[in-house]
Amino acid sequence: MKAQYLTISYKRFDWSDLPEDYKDLINKSHEAQSKAYAPYSNFKVGTCILLEDGTIFTGSNQENAAYPSGLCAERVAIFSCSAHFPHLKMKVLAITCDLDKLLLPDILAPCGACRQTICEYESRQNEPIKILLKCPGNQVLEFNSIGDLLPFSFKSDALKKVQ
Ligand code: THU
């Protein structure tokens, strides 16, 4: 047996050090948060995607009385973005939420299903998507790729042998 270790990397920015274009994405994501339909959890999440041509696409969580029929903000934005602009690459995905409602002191990181979805679209466009997470204390985390949030991911390569 050999213990193995994996390193992930990300950057932590204070708001004052954050590049202006990132500030804009976080602000737009925050605006989108107010459009969430979250009557059951009362927890609003907003997302904002920057496409390679500069187009900005937003999303928010959409809930349902039949709980599993609802969808997270990340997937609302990604699916909608891909449906409208299938040939444009997604460069950055910013995510914000009601930080004061988080019991955890630190971050709202995307759920497993959203990580898997981001992973699929990274593979599809063959280019990483940067992820920005707004944190308490007016800080922002930047991940260069979903690989840092979803190591050992399941990708289409795994299906090659059965196709
Ligand atoms: N939610 C998101 O929209 N994104 C996440 O990354 C985590 C959770 C939503 C789903 C549900 O509407 C509410 O937050 C509570 O789980």
Side-chain angles (χ1 to χ4, degrees), residues 37-38 41 43-45 60-63 71-74 95 108-111 114:
Y37 174 59
S41 72
F43 186 74
K44 295 185 173 186
V45 183
S60 54
N61 52 328
Q62 303 295 317
E63 297 186 348
L71 202 60
C72 292
E74 294 88 331
I95 307 170
L108 167 81
C111 78
C114 289

Side-chain angles (χ1 to χ4, degrees), residues 3 28-29 35 39 41 48 69 71 80 103 113 129 135 147-148 156 159:
K28 290 207 162 68
S29 172
K35 298 185 182 130
S41 72
C48 177
S69 301
L71 202 60
S80 172
L103 285 178
I129 301 170
C135 306
D148 286 318
S156 62
L159 300 173

